[in-house]
Amino acid sequence: MANSIEDYFPGGSVPNLRIKHIEAPPAEAALPEPENLDEAMARAIEILQGKKLAVITGAGISTDSGLPDYRSPGSPPRHPMTLQQFMASSSMRSHYWARNHVGWSRPYRAIPNAGHYALAHLEQRGIVTGVITQNVDMLHASAGTTRLVNLHGRGDRVVCTQCGMFIDRAELHKKLTELNPGWTERHVADAEIAPDADAAIADTAGFVVADCPRCGGILRTDVVFFGGTVRKDDIEEGRAICAQSDALLVAGSSLSVASAMRFVRETAKVGQPIVIINRGTTRGDTFADEHVYMGTSRALPYLDVTLRNPKDLLAGPTHPHLRRR
């Protein structure tokens, strides 16, 4: 049974274990929402009109569903556990699961907002080719998006690191509740929940962790931890979405991690246009043809009623909102 960190880093080169620090910009760095939507979106519409779009989304699209993010101006500092820390010791895993047991269900009680539904409708209309999301909250799927790359995994299920078996997160919650009766009730009222469903509980001593029911291996949430790697198949599907599109739209992401930023760089390299909709600055701004400093719940529905695919352009205006323009 692979229960030591050396088993997960073969060759004797165990990485240095360190906490990942994430600092957000100060609250005053946030730009005010533009008052005139038509003026603010005009350049983006000019760039995207008549094109098929690949879309990248980040935590900023889910904030209006009540979920916090890591890097919006004014967000508190976060110290998420790395994969190396999680695999390093049983005490680290106990600490992780004690906090996740309290916090995991909050993102899955959230419901999609107008931005999620707008992207799903744009896909149905043949304008959006697919969505590449950095979020693990599954709100795009709930809203109806069908071609979806969960670049950082899924928080609604658990995977065994030894045999690869998937377990529904709700089922594991039942097991952890049996092993730790009353834990959630003692902590849920005052626990701040981080974007990765990590509840800010300091004292996690004594929490009992469940092992894989099939092989006894280590269970972890099926998400890409800091220090982990994105699945190759997800990268290739993201590239396929971009290759089958005429432009790239980034919505609600600061593009601070390489997993999503690679698609921006590759799109820029082939000369396709890039539009970013995000309240704050991003790592991709130097590649963007336009950056709209606006919330996605306002901007994406506007795109939905304004953008037309090439077939629509040939047929003439049919959308009621377009007839009024």
Side-chain angles (χ1 to χ4, degrees):
M1 183 181 301
N3 281 337
S4 69
I5 190 170
E6 287 79 7
D7 293 311
Y8 296 87
F9 298 94
S13 178
V14 179
N16 180 41
L17 301 181
R18 59 184 177 84
I19 294 175
K20 175 75 175 178
H21 297 280
I22 298 177
E23 297 283 349
E28 53 268 24
L31 297 175
E33 287 269 328
E35 294 183 6
N36 189 314
L37 190 56
D38 290 320
E39 288 183 1
M41 294 293 292
R43 176 61 178 154
I45 295 298
E46 179 184 348
I47 294 169
L48 300 178
Q49 191 65 270
K51 294 181 174 65
K52 290 188 176 293
L53 310 180
V55 181
I56 294 173
T57 67
I61 196 173
S62 294
T63 53
D64 286 344
S65 292
L67 302 181
D69 66 0
Y70 280 113
R71 296 179 177 89
S72 287
S75 296
R78 305 290 187 183
H79 310 288
M81 186 176 292
T82 65
L83 175 64
Q84 293 86 351
Q85 287 176 304
F86 181 86
M87 300 306 304
S89 70
S90 59
S91 62
M92 284 288 191
R93 293 190 289 277
S94 179
H95 182 72
Y96 174 88
W97 282 115
R99 294 161 65 105
N100 186 270
H101 183 56
V102 172
W104 83 275
S105 63
R106 186 169 298 181
Y108 307 104
R109 292 197 300 267
I111 60 174
N113 60 53
H116 296 105
Y117 285 117
L119 288 180
H121 192 233
L122 284 163
E123 182 191 31
Q124 293 168 13
R125 294 174 55 211
I127 297 173
V128 165
T129 306
V131 174
I132 306 161
T133 186
Q134 298 167 272
N135 302 335
V136 299
D137 52 38
M138 300 305 293
L139 291 179
H140 283 298
S142 296
T145 294
T146 58
R147 192 176 186 185
L148 178 63
V149 176
N150 296 299
L151 199 61
H152 291 170
R154 304 173 47 153
D156 62 341
R157 68 185 186 183
V158 175
V159 62
C160 175
T161 57
Q162 181 164 305
C163 71
M165 183 177 76
F166 291 109
I167 301 172
D168 187 86
R169 181 62 184 83
E171 288 301 313
L172 181 64
H173 183 77
K174 295 177 183 177
K175 180 62 176 179
L176 291 175
T177 299
E178 292 174 3
L179 295 172
N180 303 275
W183 184 270
T184 299
E185 292 75 11
R186 291 194 298 272
H187 296 94
V188 70
D190 58 352
E192 179 193 1
I193 309 298
D196 58 355
D198 180 45
I201 301 170
D203 184 7
T204 58
F207 190 85
V208 180
V209 175
D211 294 325
C212 175
R214 182 164 73 183
C215 74
I218 295 172
L219 296 176
R220 68 170 179 84
T221 48
D222 187 31
V223 302
V224 178
F225 281 60
F226 286 91
T229 57
V230 176
R231 293 186 179 96
K232 183 178 179 181
D233 288 349
D234 289 333
I235 295 173
E236 292 308 312
E237 176 63 2
R239 284 177 170 149
I241 289 172
C242 292
Q244 295 162 17
S245 303
D246 308 308
L248 176 63
L249 172 65
V250 178
S253 174
S254 63
L255 298 169
S256 295
V257 293
S259 57
M261 188 62 192
R262 64 160 54 89
F263 300 113
V264 174
R265 295 181 186 278
E266 291 170 3
T267 298
K269 188 174 182 179
V270 299
Q272 290 186 342
I274 299 169
V275 170
I276 297 175
I277 298 171
N278 196 58
R279 288 189 174 103
T281 59
T282 82
R283 283 182 63 206
D285 287 350
T286 56
F287 300 97
D289 297 86
E290 173 70 359
H291 184 151
V292 182
Y293 292 88
M294 186 187 302
T296 55
S297 294
R298 190 174 175 215
L300 294 177
Y302 184 89
L303 291 181
D304 186 27
V305 300
T306 310
L307 290 181
R308 302 165 64 197
N309 61 34
K311 292 181 180 179
D312 290 336
L313 291 172
L314 291 173
T318 58
H319 198 288
H321 292 274
L322 294 172
R323 288 198 292 268
R324 292 199 294 268
R325 290 181 63 81

